[in-house]
């Protein structure tokens, strides 16, 4: 491809799509940025059928560009598909394969990964998508390794991102690759966005208590949640369920899909989140309050569950009611 073609970014527009993810791409790659003094991208919005494309909310956008333009771009971005239960059209699949065959960089945002998978571009790769679609993507395309715990995955010419906002992270990552950290940071400042977010989707996944099939297990879990700050052993939980420890372990695994230890650790980590978000309580006190022996143990398990540190989580999620939160900080 020529140097000019390398700078062309094409985003696919679907009937019935949300305009938000297209807006992310437009903001990052389509907005002129003469102040950066580098050759910027040329953005093109493409559709399977050029003309009017209806989007959510009753509006429509109009583009004269079709899949031939998409396949010729240096970077092809596929936003979330409107329906993850249907297959991408054969023309879209062919255009994605053609673009990849020509050496294009192929990017998906959120459920756009389903279109890439349908084109066979994700086979044998570790990828991500929105956490709520991860199991479906894994079932539909068993040759794809789906990691629902990260914001994006970069395989060089194939890049996938999680939910819609993670598209911002991935777009900034592309700018960082192409122009360096200083330019990416300048774009992030203009977006009033973090140049790089620590952690992964684990921070945003709702994780209610499992709904076990055994009321005795459910009751023991409910009791444990009310007593996370005290030492909890398998024997104590089994006693609450009126079972032997061995029987309790077997029933717990069948009902919840995990072990009591792993479940307790995760619940303790999640019980600490509100304290991190809304208080100045020291990390050591939070660790003890939710049942960890030491702050070191707490940090270790927090990192495993949340893919970031307690301090980094606190900085990112502090309540905006505090005058010291990012909402009132000076922005350069």
């Amino acid at each position: 491809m020529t140097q000019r073609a390398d700078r062309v970014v094409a985003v696919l527009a679907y009937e019935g799509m949300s305009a938000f993810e297209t807006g992310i791409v437009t903001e990052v790659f389509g907005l002129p940025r003469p102040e950066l003094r580098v050759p910027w991208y040329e953005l093109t919005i493409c559709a399977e059928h050029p003309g009017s494309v209806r989007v959510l909310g009753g509006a429509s956008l109009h583009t004269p560009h079709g899949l031939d333009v998409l396949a010729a771009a240096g970077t092809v971005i596929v936003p979330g598909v409107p329906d993850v239960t249907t297959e991408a059209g054969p023309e879209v699949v062919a255009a994605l394969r053609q673009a990849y065959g020509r050496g294009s960089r192929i990017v998906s945002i959120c459920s756009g990964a389903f279109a890439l998978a349908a084109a066979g571009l994700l086979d044998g790769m570790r990828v991500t998508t929105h956490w709520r679609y991860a199991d479906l993507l894994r079932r539909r395309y068993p040759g794809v390794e789906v990691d629902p715990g990260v914001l994006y995955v970069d395989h060089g010419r194939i890049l996938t991102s999680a939910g819609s906002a993670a598209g911002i992270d991935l777009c900034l990552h592309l700018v960082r690759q192409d122009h360096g950290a200083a330019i990416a940071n300048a774009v992030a400042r203009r977006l009033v966005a973090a140049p790089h977010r620590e952690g992964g989707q684990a921070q945003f996944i709702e994780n209610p208590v499992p709904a076990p099939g055994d009321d005795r297990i459910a009751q023991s879990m409910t009791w444990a949640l009310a007593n996370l700050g005290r030492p909890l052993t398998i024997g104590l939980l089994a006693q609450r369920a009126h079972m032997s420890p061995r029987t309790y372990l077997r029933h717990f695994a069948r009902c919840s899909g995990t072990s009591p230890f792993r479940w307790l650790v995760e619940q303790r980590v999640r019980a600490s989140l509100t304290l991190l978000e809304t208080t100045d309580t020291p990390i050591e006190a939070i660790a003890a309050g939710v049942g960890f022996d030491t702050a070191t143990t707490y940090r270790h398990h927090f990192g495993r569950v949340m893919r970031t540190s307690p301090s980094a989580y606190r900085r990112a999620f502090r309540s905006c009611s505090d005058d010291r939160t990012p909402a009132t900080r000076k922005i350069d």
Side-chain angles (χ1 to χ4, degrees):
M1 288 185 291
T2 66
Q3 186 175 4
R4 180 180 177 277
D6 286 343
R7 297 205 310 269
V8 175
V9 175
V11 58
L12 182 62
Y14 295 100
E15 287 282 332
M17 67 182 293
S18 166
F20 176 68
E21 291 160 15
T22 303
I24 292 170
V25 178
T26 302
E27 179 72 18
V28 173
F29 300 108
L31 190 68
R33 301 181 187 275
E35 73 279 6
L36 299 181
R37 301 181 183 276
V38 294
W40 204 241
Y41 305 91
E42 299 177 25
L43 177 70
T44 305
I45 298 176
C46 302
E48 184 173 353
H49 305 290
S52 180
V53 180
R54 293 173 297 175
V55 298
L56 289 179
S60 63
L61 59 84
H62 187 278
T63 178
H65 306 296
L67 295 178
D68 56 331
V69 177
L70 183 91
T75 299
V76 174
I77 301 181
V78 182
V81 299
D83 186 355
V84 296
T85 65
T86 61
E87 294 286 345
E91 293 85 0
V92 170
V93 166
L96 291 174
R97 289 174 177 168
Q98 182 182 352
Y100 185 75
R102 293 181 60 258
S104 300
R105 193 166 52 179
I106 313 294
V107 180
S108 68
I109 299 176
C110 194
S111 59
F114 283 81
L116 273 59
L121 302 182
L122 304 185
D123 291 347
M125 288 188 179
R126 172 176 166 264
V127 306
T128 194
T129 187
H130 193 292
W131 56 265
R132 68 180 299 187
Y133 303 133
D135 286 342
L136 178 61
L137 183 63
R138 191 181 292 115
R139 290 196 304 270
R140 289 258 301 273
Y141 303 99
V144 178
E145 179 187 349
V146 184
D147 184 350
V150 296
L151 295 176
Y152 59 83
V153 179
D154 181 350
H155 273 286
R157 287 181 48 222
I158 300 290
L159 302 95
T160 55
S161 69
S164 298
I168 300 174
D169 299 288
L170 183 50
C171 288
L172 290 172
H173 173 71
L174 293 172
V175 174
R176 190 180 303 112
Q177 278 190 332
D178 296 341
H179 297 291
I183 297 296
N185 291 348
V187 175
R189 282 198 299 272
R190 187 157 171 182
L191 288 168
V192 196
H196 174 75
R197 283 196 292 168
E198 298 180 80
Q201 292 193 74
Q203 301 174 55
F204 309 101
I205 297 173
E206 294 181 7
N207 191 44
V209 178
D214 191 320
D215 287 344
R216 295 172 297 172
I217 299 295
Q219 289 168 5
S220 73
M221 295 168 83
T222 301
W223 179 83
L225 289 174
N227 293 274
L228 289 176
R230 62 180 289 183
L232 297 174
T233 65
I234 300 300
L236 189 58
L237 292 172
Q239 183 181 348
R240 300 294 304 189
H242 305 289
M243 298 178 182
S244 69
R246 185 174 180 177
T247 301
Y248 183 80
L249 285 170
R250 186 173 66 253
H251 281 258
F252 193 100
R254 190 187 68 233
C255 293
S256 68
T258 188
S259 70
F261 174 78
R262 290 182 67 87
W263 180 82
L264 275 173
V265 164
E266 186 158 337
Q267 300 313 310
R268 282 172 164 153
V269 166
R270 296 192 181 279
S272 74
L273 300 185
T274 300
L275 294 172
L276 291 171
E277 294 169 10
T278 62
T279 76
D280 292 316
T281 304
I283 299 297
E284 292 75 12
I286 291 176
V290 297
F292 288 103
D293 292 337
T294 67
T296 300
T297 302
Y298 169 57
R299 289 188 176 96
H300 168 75
H301 289 298
F302 193 99
R304 182 184 62 80
V305 173
M306 303 300 294
R307 306 293 182 93
T308 187
S309 69
S311 297
Y313 183 93
R314 170 171 268 168
R315 287 194 299 270
F317 286 85
R318 285 301 303 270
S319 169
C320 291
S321 63
D322 189 330
D323 288 341
R324 292 167 291 178
T325 60
T328 57
R329 279 188 196 148
K330 178 181 177 182
I331 300 174
D332 294 332

